[in-house]
Amino acid sequence: ILGAPAAGLADFVGRKKVVMAYFMTYAASCFTYHFQNMWILVLGRILSGISQSLQYSVFESWLVRRHNTEGFPSEWIRDTFKKAS
């Protein structure tokens, strides 16, 4: 659900900032797992979902862009995604 908006956000503010947001949201979600309050745990799951959306959309777009700027053969990107899935 959040993949497309996350990719758009990365294009707007920059991939590096979105990757840093990923690290912060993921770290915060891991921190919430140490609590026994249900609402804090729910917040942790929400943060975890946001961080995963940022991770998968931003890193894949970085890979494609880097692949294209380096001028690698187009078959390599297809093979990479095949192996990753």
Side-chain angles (χ1 to χ4, degrees):
I1 294 174
L2 296 174
L9 179 68
D11 291 338
F12 183 70
V13 299
R15 289 179 181 90
K16 183 176 181 178
K17 290 180 182 177
V18 175
V19 168
M20 295 306 294
Y22 156 72
F23 288 128
M24 289 185 289
T25 56
Y26 186 72
S29 72
C30 291
F31 180 72
T32 62
Y33 297 151
H34 297 284
F35 292 90
Q36 294 184 3
N37 183 316
M38 184 186 76
W39 295 111
I40 294 176
L41 293 172
V42 168
L43 175 65
R45 292 299 294 162
I46 291 169
L47 289 173
S48 177
I50 291 170
S51 68
Q52 292 301 312
S53 294
L54 293 174
Q55 176 189 15
Y56 288 112
S57 62
V58 175
F59 286 114
E60 286 177 0
S61 66
W62 170 82
L63 176 67
V64 170
R65 183 156 196 292
R66 186 68 180 195
H67 178 86
N68 291 333
T69 58
E70 293 294 327
F72 294 130
S74 60
E75 301 84 38
W76 289 8
I77 195 74
R78 186 178 59 241
D79 293 340
T80 300
F81 282 122
K82 252 194 256 183
K83 291 175 183 176
S85 61

